[in-house]
Amino acid sequence: MATYKAPRGTNDFIPPQSERMCVILGRMRELFDRYGFRPIETPIFEETELFTRSVGEETDIVSKEMYSFADRKGRSLTLRPEGTASVVRAYVQNNLDHLGLGRLYYVGPMFRYERPQKGRYRQFFQVGVEFLGESGPLADVEVIDLFCHLAESLGLEGLSVELNSVGCPDCRDLYMQKLRRCLEERKPLLCGDCNRRLETNPLRVLDCKVPACQDPLADVPQIVDELCGGCEEHFAETRGGLEALDIPYVLNPRLVRGLDYYTRTAFEVTCRRLGSQSAVGGGGRYDLLVEQLGGKPTPAIGFAIGLERLLMLLGEERLPGEGAAEPLVWVGTSTGEARKAGARLVHSLRRKGWRAQLGYGTGNLGKQMKLANRNGAAATILLGEDELSSGRIAVKHMARGEQLDLGENDIDSQLRQWFGDRP
Ligand code: AMP
């Protein structure tokens, strides 16, 4: 029994899952680059106030899920629960608008004190995109298109884009009054959480998943019917833009997302196969956040994808177009002397571009061969006393069972003959 365990709600990523994660991220980085998005890294902790002000005091994230702590000087810091606030903070602080850096992406862990379950953790990875400086609906379409393109490039099927508009403060305030009046009448039918949110954040009531609340919420007024002229036009053009690109979506008038900073477009990409935690990712417009955090008024839109959920959906399957792993050359040795020669050999093979590994165990060469097999070697080189004294080294193509005795200088060219040139 291990003495220590990872904290509740956290995961270790071990091979091959950790390797898959690298492949997926590599694929995503290629696409981000194709769309002009460039990487940004921000600290894992920030001043607590950054999140309370941007995400919103009444949201679940801020009111009950933040990992906040006082540092040694008593400053309140928080492990980031999401990426957008930090990126916007960095955008303003580093004057990224002057540098024309409005297309950014990040990858990293986020922290929320949630009740852990399948697909919901206290530390989880997000890959996020932020597109700052564009107010028009084509930017919304481009960002949703990018999300879909990422999913396609990973071979993900069965995803659904859910779309809504949450309006702007003007139309949303009017809508919220109407919604509140309607919900007040249904109070006794709604759960405790809904009753509490009704006072603090009535939009979030729409989000409630409790079965008993679904009937009373079914026919409440919809925000899309209450949008002001500007928001209505933006929403119509966004939908038109998606249709022009043949990107399927479904309208979900109850999609409000859990963070306060959203304006206008809100979207979520879901997959039924994920069960109760069905959202693979989500995002939306946040046209007021940059100004709220001290920058010049700057419209923006972004999304974040949950990497653990993505991994769950992808399972063990190879990604489309994913090649086989590079061939591994295993060097097995039988004595201490041979091991030294083996160490020199892997050193030189690696410099020539081969994935090469020295089996550290000494002893019978049959055992070395087994080790080579277990490690998936494509070729095995066996170095024993005989090989050292004769200078002829046994090199074996594992799949073909073909074995040659070669001088050390001929090994590289033989491997190339078998497996092709190295990059
Ligand atoms: P959000 O920032 O809440 O919109 O989340 C964006 C995406 O991050 C979600 O769609 C999930 O895929 C993922 N996500 C959010 N919270 C968690 C969590 N506690 N555990 C795992 N993934 C999460």
Side-chain angles (χ1 to χ4, degrees):
M1 264 287 274
T3 312
Y4 297 108
K5 288 196 177 143
R8 188 165 136 78
T10 67
N11 293 299
D12 294 317
F13 286 93
I14 55 173
Q17 203 62 333
S18 50
E19 287 159 340
R20 257 189 107 52
M21 208 155 136
C22 294
V23 174
I24 291 167
L25 289 176
R27 193 59 74 94
M28 290 179 142
R29 286 183 197 278
E30 265 173 46
L31 266 195
F32 289 145
D33 184 52
R34 204 182 296 177
Y35 281 70
F37 285 84
R38 297 171 68 184
I40 183 166
E41 293 276 353
T42 61
I44 281 182
F45 57 85
E46 299 267 2
E47 279 178 48
T48 299
E49 200 187 315
L50 175 68
F51 302 116
T52 48
R53 290 210 45 201
S54 54
V55 175
E57 303 259 9
E58 303 299 342
T59 58
D60 282 356
I61 293 182
V62 168
S63 63
K64 35 184 199 199
E65 296 172 1
M66 291 211 297
Y67 278 94
S68 299
F69 57 97
D71 74 0
R72 288 172 186 274
K73 289 265 169 68
R75 288 171 286 236
S76 179
L77 299 172
T78 293
L79 298 183
R80 61 183 185 193
E82 58 101 46
T84 304
S86 304
V87 171
V88 170
R89 196 255 323 122
Y91 181 85
V92 174
Q93 185 178 340
N94 298 288
N95 289 315
L96 297 190
D97 56 336
H98 289 306
L99 303 173
L101 291 173
R103 289 174 182 249
L104 301 162
Y105 76 86
Y106 58 85
V107 177
M110 305 295 159
F111 306 85
R112 295 182 195 170
Y113 193 87
E114 295 201 71
R115 200 166 44 77
Q117 64 180 85
K118 194 162 186 283
R120 189 159 75 188
Y121 310 104
R122 291 182 172 168
Q123 173 175 331
F124 56 96
F125 280 83
Q126 280 189 345
V127 180
V129 156
E130 312 294 354
F131 183 8
L132 298 114
E134 253 322 308
S135 61
L138 280 183
D140 307 39
V141 175
E142 185 178 357
V143 159
I144 295 173
D145 187 29
L146 170 56
F147 197 128
C148 297
H149 199 167
L150 286 168
E152 275 164 40
S153 78
L154 297 171
L156 274 180
E157 282 168 5
L159 298 190
S160 160
V161 178
E162 300 187 13
L163 191 70
N164 195 19
S165 171
V166 293
C168 63
D170 291 344
C171 49
R172 187 163 46 204
D173 282 352
L174 289 173
Y175 168 71
M176 288 222 280
Q177 288 172 23
K178 200 166 173 181
L179 178 66
R180 193 176 261 137
R181 278 198 301 275
C182 166
L183 294 174
E184 289 284 353
E185 291 165 13
R186 303 176 187 190
K187 248 176 139 173
L189 302 173
L190 298 169
C191 70
D193 269 351
C194 282
N195 272 287
R196 205 167 26 76
R197 287 179 180 146
L198 178 52
E199 305 304 327
T200 57
N201 196 354
L203 267 192
R204 289 301 313 283
V205 174
L206 298 180
D207 218 12
C208 183
K209 302 284 188 296
V210 172
C213 294
Q214 301 312 305
D215 263 357
L217 291 177
D219 60 346
V220 295
Q222 299 188 351
I223 190 161
V224 282
D225 296 329
E226 311 290 331
L227 297 176
C228 63
C231 289
E232 194 178 355
E233 191 182 340
H234 188 95
F235 194 43
E237 288 186 20
T238 302
R239 284 166 24 207
L242 291 173
E243 284 152 23
L245 298 182
D246 287 328
I247 297 175
Y249 64 87
V250 286
L251 292 176
N252 177 354
R254 281 177 47 190
L255 174 69
V256 289
R257 317 257 314 121
L259 299 81
D260 276 0
Y261 52 61
Y262 286 113
T263 49
R264 296 191 164 173
T265 308
F267 68 98
E268 212 153 72
V269 178
T270 56
C271 183
R272 278 163 181 257
R273 280 188 287 140
L274 282 172
S276 67
Q277 303 300 309
S278 65
V280 186
R285 207 162 247 297
Y286 50 93
D287 287 343
L288 306 172
L289 184 59
V290 180
E291 190 179 4
Q292 199 188 329
L293 295 182
K296 284 198 312 227
T298 308
I301 178 160
F303 65 72
I305 299 179
L307 210 54
E308 287 79 0
R309 293 188 194 174
L310 204 63
L311 281 166
M312 278 163 63
L313 283 178
L314 288 172
E316 311 280 299
E317 303 268 306
R318 249 186 217 296
L319 302 183
E322 186 181 348
E326 288 287 305
L328 171 68
V329 181
W330 187 267
V331 179
T333 58
S334 64
T335 64
E337 259 327 287
R339 189 158 59 187
K340 284 185 197 155
R344 282 195 302 278
L345 186 56
V346 290
H347 165 91
S348 110
L349 286 171
R350 286 171 181 156
R351 296 269 178 313
K352 290 181 175 125
W354 295 101
R355 271 179 83 211
Q357 208 175 313
L358 176 68
Y360 272 78
T362 51
N364 131 6
L365 285 176
K367 220 156 106 191
Q368 302 292 317
M369 210 53 150
K370 266 199 198 131
L371 256 180
N373 261 323
R374 204 171 79 190
N375 283 279
T380 303
I381 298 176
L382 291 177
L383 280 176
E385 273 171 37
D386 293 350
E387 284 77 7
L388 283 189
S389 58
S390 69
R392 304 300 288 174
I393 300 172
V395 183
K396 182 169 180 183
H397 187 299
M398 300 296 272
R400 294 189 201 155
E402 184 182 341
Q403 184 165 323
L404 302 169
D405 284 337
L406 302 173
E408 188 170 339
N409 291 338
D410 298 327
I411 294 179
D412 176 50
S413 60
Q414 182 58 48
L415 290 172
R416 279 167 207 268
Q417 257 190 42
W418 278 341
F419 303 109
D421 277 338
R422 291 303 82 208

